Amino acid sequence: MLRQSARGVNARGARVRTLARMIDLRSDTVTRPTEAMRAAMVGADVGDDVYADDPTVNALEERVADLFGHEAALFTVSGSLANLLAVRAVVPVGAEVLCEAQAHIVRAELGSHAALAGITTRTWRHPRGLVDVEEVAALVAPDLGPFLVRTAALSAENTHNFAGGVVQPLESLRMLRTVADRHGLAVHLDGARIWNAHVATGVPLREYGAVGDVLGVCLSKGLGAPIGSLLVGPADAVAEARVWRKRLGAGWRQAGMLAAAGLHALDHHVERLADDHAHARLLAEACAVDPGGVDTNIVVVPCPDAPAVVAAAREQGVLTGAVGPRTLRLVTHLDVDEAAARKAADVLGPLVA
Ligand SMILES: Cc1ncc(COP(=O)(O)O)c(C=O)c1O
């Protein structure tokens, strides 16, 4: 038994060492903290965050709330938890949130909104994951008492992950806000990669913040922090979310070391997202995808046999993801510099042709 688990540890160690040498385009969540980020984490001032005593967590929450022009924020372990707490804050049990059919909240959060908060979902469909205001407005269900599930919130994802890092135009988000106001609904923004949208368009974060009643934003994707997301919104909603976070077993103690990584990322890793976007366009070009359609750091590549390309690229030191039988996904990030992007382009170009 002992020998077996020792072998397991060694196998995992070898796998991690092998991965470290590869160019990893599977996701922007795979980044490792830089030396400077690690130093910031080690030096962080900490306290018990369940008592709201952690000065670094408090500083991060205040800073992120302010960046989006909101009253408060809550540091969470994941983007999924930030989204769950955010949607739960604006949608009561038995009501629904409307979102696009490929939205992360409906496809990839494992039904948490239904399973843990009694929330149902209906979706509109757009080939680029965009808000189709007319369709959204047509989907809204009024409160008809015992006859229909009532719509309580509209949700938009910016950038849209499964659609390929697509930026939602500010104008459509504002129109979504108008529809919500007309029907007395809340707006949730899944801003896991809102930093990419901000850097790609120059739209100030506060303009995005003004569209949403509640937002989820992530530090652990393009910004390169190892862990952490935030729910952003009104003080009363955030206070209630703090209780729910603890109820779900996700209250944490000296989380300041993680918050320090987040603060470091906000200081040093936002503007550089432009490099990731340039690297994504470079990869797109090599894979015969129109770089004009690549808004940020995600490239969706159609190819005849995606799993075969994944396997062949892996043999040549490039990790990619198949998101469908004929669809490959490439994601650029902090740990892929220009040389690595060019090397990956050389490997992938012939494989997807
Ligand atoms: C758009 C979007 N929202 C939310 C999440 C959830 O983040 P996490 O993996 O930290 O739960 C992701 C993860 O990739 C995402 O792409």
Side-chain angles (χ1 to χ4, degrees):
M1 189 65 194
L2 246 180
R3 275 163 54 122
Q4 236 179 18
S5 69
R7 264 209 303 278
V9 168
N10 288 341
R12 185 176 154 76
R15 181 178 140 81
V16 169
R17 278 194 298 280
T18 309
L19 287 181
R21 286 195 296 273
M22 302 188 89
I23 299 168
D24 195 342
L25 299 172
R26 290 172 302 170
S27 172
D28 49 10
T29 56
V30 300
T31 56
R32 294 174 174 80
T34 61
E35 286 307 318
M37 183 180 276
R38 286 169 197 255
M41 294 171 76
V42 169
D45 202 0
V46 297
D48 188 332
D49 182 51
V50 172
Y51 288 89
D53 273 355
D54 190 303
T56 313
V57 172
N58 294 343
L60 175 69
E61 291 177 344
E62 278 164 32
R63 179 161 169 191
V64 173
D66 184 60
L67 282 174
F68 290 95
H70 276 261
E71 285 176 350
L74 180 72
F75 190 35
T76 62
V77 68
S78 67
S80 300
L81 183 58
N83 277 340
L84 171 62
L85 296 174
V87 173
R88 207 215 63 85
V90 293
V91 182
V93 170
E96 71 181 5
V97 56
L98 304 182
C99 63
E100 202 278 326
Q102 301 297 328
H104 198 275
I105 62 165
V106 69
R107 282 210 61 205
E109 295 179 8
L110 307 185
S112 67
H113 302 261
L116 302 171
I119 292 167
T120 61
T121 315
R122 276 186 306 136
T123 58
W124 71 88
R125 191 173 277 281
H126 188 284
R128 280 179 50 82
L130 296 176
V131 168
D132 181 333
V133 184
E134 276 178 26
E135 231 195 290
V136 178
L139 277 177
V140 171
D143 187 353
L144 291 181
F147 295 104
L148 278 183
V149 174
R150 124 174 131 80
T151 307
L154 313 176
S155 177
E157 190 172 306
N158 192 23
T159 64
H160 194 300
N161 177 353
F162 293 131
V166 175
V167 174
Q168 303 283 347
L170 183 60
E171 205 37 51
S172 355
L173 292 174
R174 286 184 171 150
M175 281 157 74
L176 188 76
R177 176 78 264 168
T178 305
V179 171
D181 289 342
R182 195 184 309 141
H183 295 279
L185 311 175
V187 172
H188 163 252
L189 286 188
D190 179 352
R193 295 183 182 79
I194 202 155
W195 324 97
N196 297 80
H198 159 65
V199 168
T201 58
V203 171
L205 293 171
R206 274 180 176 241
E207 298 287 336
Y208 287 134
V211 171
D213 296 277
V214 286
L215 295 86
V217 301
C218 292
L219 304 168
S220 59
K221 309 219 158 40
L223 295 195
I227 292 177
S229 296
L230 294 105
L231 148 65
V232 181
D236 55 351
V238 169
E240 203 195 333
R242 196 175 290 280
V243 175
W244 268 90
R245 183 185 64 172
K246 184 71 163 55
R247 183 168 286 136
L248 293 168
W252 43 15
R253 304 295 178 176
Q254 288 72 22
M257 296 175 89
L258 297 172
L263 286 165
H264 179 89
L266 290 174
D267 286 337
H268 300 284
H269 295 169
V270 176
E271 298 310 323
R272 64 149 307 284
L273 291 171
D275 297 342
D276 296 346
H277 301 168
H279 298 156
R281 288 193 293 271
L282 184 159
L283 286 166
E285 227 163 318
C287 295
V289 170
D290 175 12
V294 177
D295 289 353
T296 56
N297 68 327
I298 303 179
V299 190
V300 175
V301 185
C303 58
D305 185 347
V309 173
V310 170
R314 190 185 175 97
E315 287 301 307
Q316 298 181 61
V318 179
L319 297 176
T320 56
V323 291
R326 280 181 285 280
T327 313
L328 196 69
R329 192 180 80 144
L330 315 173
V331 188
T332 56
H333 52 76
L334 192 58
D335 289 355
V336 178
D337 61 13
E338 189 183 333
R342 288 195 183 282
K343 194 169 160 199
D346 289 345
V347 168
L348 293 168
L351 291 179
V352 300

